Amino acid sequence: MAGTERRVVVTGIGVISALGTEIDTFWKNILEGHCGIDRITLFDVSKYDCQIAAEVKNFDAAPAFPSPKDLRRTDRFTQFGVYAGWRALQDSGLDLEKVDRDQIGCFIGSGIGGLSTTEAQHSVLLEKGPSRVSPFMIPMLILNMASGMFSMYYKLRGPNVATCSACATSTHALGEAWRTIKMGDANVIFAGGTEAAIVPLSMSGFAAMRALSTRNNEPKRASRPFDSQRDGFVMGEGAGVLALEELEHAKARGARIYCEIVGYGNTADANHITAPSPEGEGAARCMKMALRSAGLRPDEISYINAHGTSTPQGDVCETQAIKSVFGDHAKKLAVSSTKGATGHMLGAAGAIEMAVCTKALQTQIAPPTINYENPDPQCDLDCVPNQARPMAITAVLNNSFGFGGHNATIAAKRFNG
C-alpha cells in the first residue's frame, strides 16, 4: 500500500478553553493546577440543579473571520472551531501561498453543534411564527460548519470531514486525519473538535440524566477525576485543533515539530447508550488497537491522558481497562485527567487533551489531576495528584470515550527525527 510508510507529525496547536485561548497560556495554567470552572454567567441558572461550568469568557473570534458579517452568521461552536483552526495555522508557520491547497484538509467535528442557535430559533418559531425563522438557522446549527467554514475562509480544498461521536468526536477526527495523511490523500489536515453546549437545554438534559456534578458551592473543586468523592462531570466549552502534517512536507519547509502521531484505536462497546461496557472491555480493545497500529509495547508508554470525566462509573471502568491492557506496567504509568481543570468539553475534549499530550512530550512534564484528595481504591492508578511532574515521557496514549459506546485512542511519541 503506497501510503503506509508516510509519517505524521504535529506542527501546530490551537486551543480555546476556560484556561486560555493560546497554547502557552493554556499549558501554563494546566501545569500550575488552575481551574476554569465557576458559576455560569451565560444565562440565569438559579433554577438549575447544576449551576457551574467552564466558560470561555471575553472571547473575540473576529481575528479569525473575514468580516463582522461572517462572524454574526455563525454559531458560537463554529466561532470556537474556526478560531482554534486559525491559531493552529498561525502556530504551524504554514504559508498557504506556498503550498498546494488541494492537499490541505480540515477534520473539525462537534458532538452537539449549534444548540444555542436551535434554542433561539425555536423561540422565534413559537413566538413570531415560521416566517420569522432565520434563513441562516440551518447553516448555523449543523455540526459540520466549523470544518466547512474554516476551509472556505482559508481556501483549503483537501479532504474535509466533520466527525460526530459524542465525547470521542475530536479524537476520531485526529485519528482519521492521521489515517488520511498516511494513505497519501493529504499533506496537512487541521483536525480536532469544537463545542459550545453551556446552554439551558443542554444543562437541563445532562442534569436529568444525573450526569453532572451538583457541587455548586465549590465550583473549582467540583470536577475531581478518580477521587472517591466525585459526583459527576462539569460542562466545559471551547475547541482544540491540531495541524497534522506529513513528515517530509514538514521538514521541507523547516517546520517546528511537536511530536509524532504513531497509532490510532477505534472500537465500539456495543453495550449501552450511556454506560461503558463492563470492566472497560471496549476501551481496553481500543487501547490495544492503538498500540498495535503504533508498533508499541505496553511497557513503552510513559503517560496516559485519561478520559477521566469524574463520573462514578466511568472512572472505574477506565481504570479497569488500563490495568487489563498494561498489567504490571499499569503501576508505573502516569495517568492523569485534565478535566478537573478544563471541565468536560464533550466533542472538543479529545483534541484539547491531545494538545496536552503534545506539550507533555515536548516539555517532559506530566500534567496533574487536580482535586484528587480522597483516593478511591477502585481507581488505584498513579493519577499525578495535584502537582505537575517532570519525568521522562517517550510515548503517550490519549483516551476518549463517548455515549453510544464510541471509543477512540491516539498514540503519540516524542519526535526523534
Side-chain angles (χ1 to χ4, degrees):
M1 206 176 291
T4 54
E5 298 306 314
R6 286 163 60 95
R7 295 167 66 186
V8 181
V9 294
V10 176
T11 56
I13 307 173
V15 296
I16 306 292
S17 84
L19 291 180
T21 58
E22 58 87 28
I23 185 61
D24 290 338
T25 300
F26 169 78
W27 182 238
K28 180 175 183 289
N29 285 330
I30 287 286
L31 293 186
E32 292 178 355
H34 295 301
C35 178
I37 298 166
D38 212 331
R39 188 172 179 84
I40 292 171
T41 62
L42 290 167
F43 59 96
D44 180 6
V45 292
S46 58
K47 295 182 180 179
Y48 290 73
D49 291 338
C50 178
Q51 302 173 358
I52 56 177
E55 297 176 339
V56 177
K57 297 179 180 177
N58 304 313
F59 175 64
D60 179 14
F65 280 74
S67 72
K69 182 170 69 173
D70 289 295
L71 183 60
R72 289 194 301 271
R73 291 176 175 176
T74 55
D75 187 271
R76 185 172 171 89
F77 92 98
T78 296
Q79 293 171 12
F80 285 154
V82 169
Y83 188 91
W86 174 71
R87 281 287 197 185
L89 174 60
Q90 286 188 316
D91 190 50
S92 74
L94 185 69
D95 185 345
L96 294 177
E97 300 302 320
K98 296 180 179 179
V99 294
D100 180 0
R101 298 194 200 199
D102 291 353
Q103 290 293 311
I104 314 295
C106 306
F107 286 24
I108 304 174
S110 180
I112 292 180
L115 202 54
S116 62
T117 294
T118 302
E119 283 189 343
Q121 292 301 308
H122 185 249
S123 295
V124 170
L125 173 65
L126 296 180
E127 295 168 9
K128 299 181 180 180
S131 66
R132 300 297 297 276
V133 170
S134 170
F136 294 100
M137 182 189 75
I138 299 300
M140 287 176 71
L141 69 85
I142 51 180
L143 59 83
N144 66 303
M145 273 299 159
S147 199
M149 290 296 189
F150 185 67
S151 72
M152 292 176 208
Y153 295 155
Y154 296 96
K155 307 301 180 187
L156 310 180
R157 298 182 296 266
N160 194 294
V161 172
T163 53
C164 179
S165 47
C167 306
T169 290
S170 55
T171 306
H172 278 135
L174 290 160
E176 295 304 326
W178 171 78
R179 199 196 306 269
T180 300
I181 295 171
K182 284 187 73 67
M183 292 300 297
D185 292 329
N187 289 328
V188 182
I189 296 180
F190 293 89
T194 179
E195 210 75 87
I198 305 175
V199 299
L201 191 60
S202 176
M203 295 299 295
S204 300
F206 279 111
M209 295 172 63
R210 301 184 186 278
L212 298 178
S213 172
T214 56
R215 198 185 290 258
N216 295 317
N217 61 333
E218 294 182 302
K220 297 200 179 300
R221 300 179 67 229
S223 181
R224 39 202 318 112
F226 303 114
D227 185 273
S228 66
Q229 301 302 307
R230 64 192 184 276
D231 70 329
F233 78 83
V234 179
M235 186 78 75
E237 64 175 358
V241 175
L242 280 67
L244 272 55
E245 187 166 356
E246 192 274 326
L247 175 58
E248 297 306 318
H249 189 273
K251 284 182 173 180
R253 66 181 187 87
R256 174 204 45 219
I257 294 172
Y258 281 106
C259 69
E260 182 175 2
I261 306 294
V262 292
Y264 170 45
N266 175 7
T267 67
D269 285 349
N271 175 65
H272 188 270
I273 57 174
T274 57
S277 55
E279 299 182 351
E281 182 273 337
R285 282 188 289 109
C286 191
M287 285 184 274
K288 287 178 181 177
M289 183 185 292
L291 289 169
R292 184 169 64 250
S293 68
L296 290 170
R297 301 186 312 272
D299 64 5
E300 292 181 282
I301 300 297
S302 314
Y303 169 72
I304 297 176
N305 189 286
H307 187 57
T309 56
S310 185
T311 55
Q313 186 179 15
D315 290 4
V316 171
C317 285
E318 187 169 10
T319 299
Q320 293 171 322
I322 290 169
K323 291 166 75 172
S324 76
V325 172
F326 289 91
D328 289 342
H329 185 61
K331 300 173 185 176
K332 302 175 184 178
L333 283 168
V335 181
S336 68
S337 169
T338 43
K339 289 184 175 72
T342 65
H344 186 0
M345 294 166 63
L346 307 183
I352 280 285
E353 289 154 12
M354 195 64 228
V356 167
C357 289
T358 297
K359 291 297 291 183
L361 284 163
Q362 183 197 36
T363 63
Q364 297 290 281
I365 305 174
T369 303
I370 66 169
N371 298 324
Y372 186 84
E373 299 167 345
N374 309 282
D376 182 345
Q378 295 187 87
C379 299
D380 55 345
L381 300 171
D382 176 0
C383 297
V384 195
N386 303 310
Q387 290 188 332
R389 179 185 303 163
M391 58 178 282
I393 303 176
T394 55
V396 306
L397 294 185
N398 179 30
N399 284 338
S400 297
F401 312 127
F403 286 173
H406 300 282
N407 306 308
T409 299
I410 297 291
K413 65 183 183 182
R414 199 171 189 194
F415 179 69
N416 292 313

